[in-house]
Amino acid sequence: MERPGLFIEREVMIMQFPQIRMTSQHAQIELDIQQPVQSIEQPQAELDLQQPPAELTIETKPSKLTIDQTKAREDMDLKSIAKRIEEFAQLGYQDWLEGLARAAGEGDELMMIENGGDPIPEQAQRNSEGTELEFNIGYIPSAGSVAIDFQPAHVQIDVKTNPVINNTRPQKPIHHYQPGKVHVSMKQYPSVNIDFVHLKYKGINYEQEI
């Protein structure tokens, strides 16, 4: 069994064992960052558009309707003075030719009276009789006596288109850019601290704590 005094002495010797204590401090870097600045502006384009109107030309020739009722009016004996004069002149000329031919024929018959016959009573009887009339069915006015002529209208359309006049001017974008900056500095410098505990120097017959 050990004595209590010796146990205590050993324990004290263990607690006073020399120690080296080191404490360190890490370095810290501080960054001052300035963000970049960018601006982009797009001005509007100068719009200049012109559309000349189309050139439209329309040429119209109107329709024409012609109705000639002259023949129908003549069939109804509604003749113009000029027409009647013309017919009377033609009729008189025809009668004159017929009378001339009859007189010449009768003269020839009288010249040849010595050949026999009795031309004078025959001529008297022939001249006393009227003209034999002929009768037939007719229509007043006659078919096709009204002349109708129609010319349709004519339309000529000419269109001339004109192209668009484009004087638009685009604008370049306005770009401003300021680059960012980074400033680096030491916020905390590194350090090492060394401390000695229970370190003793033993000399001859003495002991000194360092």
Side-chain angles (χ1 to χ4, degrees):
M1 184 175 181
E2 296 181 359
R3 292 180 293 177
L6 294 177
F7 177 77
I8 295 172
E9 184 178 357
R10 288 181 180 178
E11 184 178 0
V12 171
M13 290 179 64
I14 293 174
M15 292 179 63
Q16 293 181 357
F17 189 79
Q19 300 178 7
I20 299 176
R21 298 178 179 175
M22 298 179 64
T23 58
S24 62
Q25 177 176 273
H26 298 287
Q28 295 183 2
I29 298 176
E30 184 176 13
L31 299 177
D32 184 11
I33 301 175
Q34 182 178 354
Q35 298 292 336
V37 178
Q38 178 177 246
S39 64
I40 299 176
E41 181 181 355
Q42 177 60 65
Q44 293 184 353
E46 297 181 5
L47 188 62
D48 184 5
L49 292 175
Q50 300 179 15
Q51 177 58 73
E55 299 178 10
L56 178 63
T57 303
I58 301 178
E59 182 179 352
T60 304
K61 182 180 180 181
S63 59
K64 183 178 180 181
L65 176 62
T66 303
I67 301 176
D68 188 0
Q69 300 179 352
T70 304
K71 184 66 173 56
R73 294 177 61 85
E74 291 176 355
D75 292 345
M76 298 172 63
D77 200 28
L78 298 175
K79 303 176 182 179
S80 62
I81 299 299
K83 183 66 176 179
R84 290 188 181 277
I85 293 175
E86 180 184 356
E87 288 182 351
F88 289 155
Q90 186 177 1
L91 182 60
Y93 180 71
Q94 186 67 29
D95 291 343
W96 175 76
L97 291 179
E98 293 178 356
L100 184 62
R102 184 177 63 253
E106 292 176 351
D108 292 338
E109 291 178 353
L110 293 176
M111 288 174 61
M112 294 181 296
I113 193 171
E114 68 275 5
N115 295 330
D118 194 4
I120 295 176
E122 294 177 357
Q123 292 180 3
Q125 182 180 359
R126 187 170 58 243
N127 293 331
S128 63
E129 294 177 353
T131 306
E132 184 177 358
L133 300 178
E134 296 181 358
F135 177 77
N136 198 358
I137 298 175
Y139 298 92
I140 298 176
S142 60
S145 59
V146 178
I148 299 177
D149 180 52
F150 176 74
Q151 297 179 1
H154 177 73
V155 179
Q156 179 68 32
I157 300 176
D158 295 326
V159 179
K160 179 183 177 183
T161 58
N162 293 315
V164 177
I165 301 175
N166 188 358
N167 295 324
T168 302
R169 293 188 298 174
Q171 301 291 339
K172 296 181 178 180
I174 302 174
H175 183 205
H176 297 286
Y177 176 74
Q178 180 180 352
K181 297 180 181 179
V182 178
H183 179 70
V184 182
S185 62
M186 294 297 297
K187 183 177 181 181
Q188 178 177 289
Y189 288 92
S191 63
V192 177
N193 185 19
I194 302 175
D195 188 15
F196 300 94
V197 180
H198 303 304
L199 182 61
K200 295 181 180 181
Y201 175 75
K202 290 185 178 181
I204 301 174
N205 295 327
Y206 74 94
E207 184 179 55
Q208 183 179 359
E209 184 176 358
I210 300 175

